[in-house]
Amino acid sequence: MNTEGPAANDGLHLIPFRGLRYVPERVGSLAAVTSPPYDVVVRPDGLLHLESADPHNIVRLILPQANTAGARNQQAADTLDRWLSEGILAPDPEPAFYVYEQRKDDILQRGIIGALALSEPSEGVVLPHEDVMPDVVADRAALMRTTAANLEPLLFTYRSMGGATGATAVIDRTILRTPLLATTTEDGFRHRLWSVTDPDDLSEVRADLSDHQALIADGHHRWATYLRLRAEHPSPSPWNYGLVLLIDTARYPLRVRAIHRLLHRLPVSEALAALTGSFRIQQLDGPLPQALETLANAAAEGNAFLLAGDGGFHLVDRPDAELLSRTVRRDRPEAWRTLDATVLHSTLLDHIWRIPDTPEHIAYIHDTEAAVEHAERNGGTAVVMHPVREEVVRNLAREGVTMPRKSTSFGPKPATGLVLRSLALD
């Protein structure tokens, strides 16, 4: 691999790498060894389901189980080494970009997986839009440091002019060939992967991407992890690059979903009582889909949340304007001040409920039904959110303004386990 860094401010600098991939003959099925990204596997039963799907499921690397953090990380490193020595995983013969396709019903997403040169937000090449938690970055850094591997591609977006040139042209040509792999995961998504090794194709992709900047759609903590580990290794080094999937949203728009909050120690009755007089509160009848439709209608008019956990649904909207003025910081753009996530964290969590943003008090859950189910089972409160539009996210990122963490969930997310990057090979 070329480990020399890019020139300053020359856009995205993507280079090929020798992907680590499962050897199909050594596993039950490719679908059985994949996993969602580590932070989507939120339930213990989900972890156990993945572990039991195949003894070589990738979750054993991204979420190893042991009594201490050090033991977990070493276990992941030992497992990776063993799978390599046993031929469960094997490196591809030459460096490549990988064209990756996901398809389900009317959803079609295609992009390029490669190793992207790391850059700080101040450089304006890779735009974060959410804050990160230092303890999560430290946890991921310890795992990545011990395994010396990028186990999951981060999801990044960029926007072309929409024409069939550059990276798009290479993708369009590549998908006419037989893929390296094709599988359908249990969520119904069909996945296909191709390698791109032709020097002209590689050059065409690199030249095209050098004119673009990227938005971090999913993977803020792992990007921060990449940056932390780069600082630990003298340059030039393979640690100057991180594994990403780049999607041109002018060609393949992503879906944007909300990430919900589960308040472990706050019952719904107490949450609602504390909001009385500051928000309008409505008890909703009907099932979850109907409640979500009501939430969407209310969110079109202003800040709105759906509280659940007591067997019913409660719409909380129309916050008191004077309360917002007192509790939301003024040194940010109006688009940031009016975000649901901003109001939730600044006004509800910090000011009214006084709940610290720590794992003991708050969990972040992507699946709406899972959030409600958890709250009902354990007596907490699920705060169901409405998604933010992508253009709002991108515009704030371009202004250098980060949103509260876990404000958005872009998708579909890449399946973990289809291609890995070992830094020892670079």
Side-chain angles (χ1 to χ4, degrees):
M1 173 192 282
N2 172 17
T3 55
E4 295 185 5
N9 301 317
D10 68 345
L12 301 172
H13 182 70
L14 195 71
I15 59 176
F17 68 102
R18 290 181 64 194
L20 284 184
R21 296 188 296 110
Y22 281 99
V23 177
E25 296 78 14
R26 299 301 310 277
V27 297
S29 73
L30 289 173
V33 296
T34 64
S35 164
Y38 83 99
D39 57 341
V40 181
V41 185
V42 294
R43 294 181 292 181
D45 54 342
L47 178 63
L48 292 172
H49 173 74
L50 290 167
E51 288 181 331
S52 61
D54 188 284
H56 304 106
N57 188 283
I58 193 68
V59 78
R60 286 178 167 80
L61 299 184
I62 63 172
L63 289 173
Q65 300 299 298
N67 292 330
T68 67
R72 288 194 295 271
N73 298 330
Q74 190 58 52
Q75 178 176 288
D78 293 343
T79 299
L80 176 58
D81 289 343
R82 185 175 68 255
W83 288 357
L84 285 167
S85 65
E86 294 175 353
I88 305 300
L89 289 167
D92 282 334
E94 57 184 320
F97 290 145
Y98 295 86
V99 170
Y100 177 46
E101 176 188 275
Q102 294 164 275
R103 184 190 294 268
K104 179 183 178 182
D105 301 329
D106 61 344
I107 299 171
L108 174 63
Q109 180 170 286
R110 293 185 181 123
I112 299 280
I113 296 176
L116 183 65
L118 307 184
S119 60
E120 297 289 345
S122 60
E123 298 176 57
V125 177
V126 173
L127 306 176
H129 70 267
E130 291 184 355
D131 296 328
V132 298
M133 293 191 71
D135 60 328
V136 178
V137 175
D139 175 75
R140 289 291 103 184
L143 175 64
M144 202 177 299
R145 185 184 299 115
T146 307
T147 58
N150 298 159
L151 302 172
E152 307 179 82
L154 282 56
L155 179 60
F156 282 22
T157 72
Y158 68 99
R159 290 190 68 84
S160 71
M161 299 302 292
T165 60
T168 296
V170 173
I171 291 173
D172 288 349
R173 292 195 300 269
T174 301
I175 60 172
L176 300 178
R177 299 192 278 108
T178 302
L180 292 173
L181 64 85
T183 189
T184 301
T185 45
E186 64 178 8
D187 58 6
F189 272 95
R190 301 189 297 279
H191 307 262
R192 295 197 294 172
L193 189 78
W194 296 260
S195 65
V196 177
T197 58
D198 179 83
D200 291 338
D201 288 342
L202 296 175
S203 296
E204 188 171 355
V205 170
R206 295 185 67 180
D208 181 22
L209 294 177
S210 68
D211 290 331
H212 295 286
Q213 62 182 184
L215 174 72
I216 303 177
D218 185 65
H220 285 81
H221 286 91
R222 286 165 289 170
W223 183 255
T225 297
Y226 288 166
L227 291 173
R228 173 178 293 193
L229 294 176
R230 178 183 68 169
E232 298 176 3
H233 295 82
S235 183
S237 162
W239 296 90
N240 287 4
Y241 295 80
L243 186 64
V244 303
L245 165 64
L246 284 162
I247 303 290
D248 177 8
T249 53
R251 191 75 177 266
Y252 301 105
L254 271 66
R255 296 174 299 164
V256 186
R257 292 181 173 178
I259 302 177
H260 314 297
R261 275 64 170 163
L262 175 62
L263 311 181
H264 298 298
R265 303 178 182 178
L266 182 68
V268 174
S269 58
E270 294 182 17
L272 293 173
L275 297 178
T276 302
S278 299
F279 287 76
R280 183 179 72 168
I281 302 172
Q282 297 182 73
Q283 173 78 37
L284 302 182
D285 298 321
L288 178 58
Q290 184 175 327
L292 291 174
E293 183 177 344
T294 303
L295 173 64
N297 293 333
E301 303 297 327
N303 300 120
F305 312 92
L306 193 66
L307 271 55
D310 60 353
F313 300 103
H314 310 269
L315 179 68
V316 175
D317 66 349
R318 299 187 183 180
D320 177 72
E322 193 275 333
L323 173 66
L324 296 185
S325 178
R326 284 190 292 111
T327 56
V328 177
R329 56 190 297 179
R330 298 171 179 271
D331 59 341
R332 295 291 179 93
E334 182 69 11
W336 182 92
R337 290 173 49 82
T338 55
L339 288 169
D340 285 341
T342 298
V343 172
L344 172 62
H345 283 263
S346 299
T347 304
L348 278 73
L349 293 173
D350 293 349
H351 180 76
I352 296 178
W353 292 332
R354 298 186 182 277
I355 296 177
D357 192 359
T358 62
E360 300 83 41
H361 292 271
I362 304 177
Y364 293 80
I365 299 182
H366 294 72
D367 183 83
T368 310
E369 292 183 358
V372 173
E373 177 188 330
H374 267 290
E376 292 180 345
R377 182 190 306 165
N378 300 309
T381 295
V383 182
V384 177
M385 310 282 287
H386 186 69
V388 183
R389 299 191 314 278
E390 181 184 356
E391 58 265 31
V392 173
V393 177
R394 190 176 295 275
N395 289 340
L396 284 173
R398 283 175 173 158
E399 292 184 51
V401 178
T402 55
M403 300 163 64
R405 72 186 190 90
K406 301 297 183 182
S407 295
T408 58
S409 176
F410 284 85
K413 303 179 189 301
T416 300
L418 296 181
V419 62
L420 292 62
R421 174 177 175 247
S422 169
L423 281 76
L425 292 174
D426 294 344

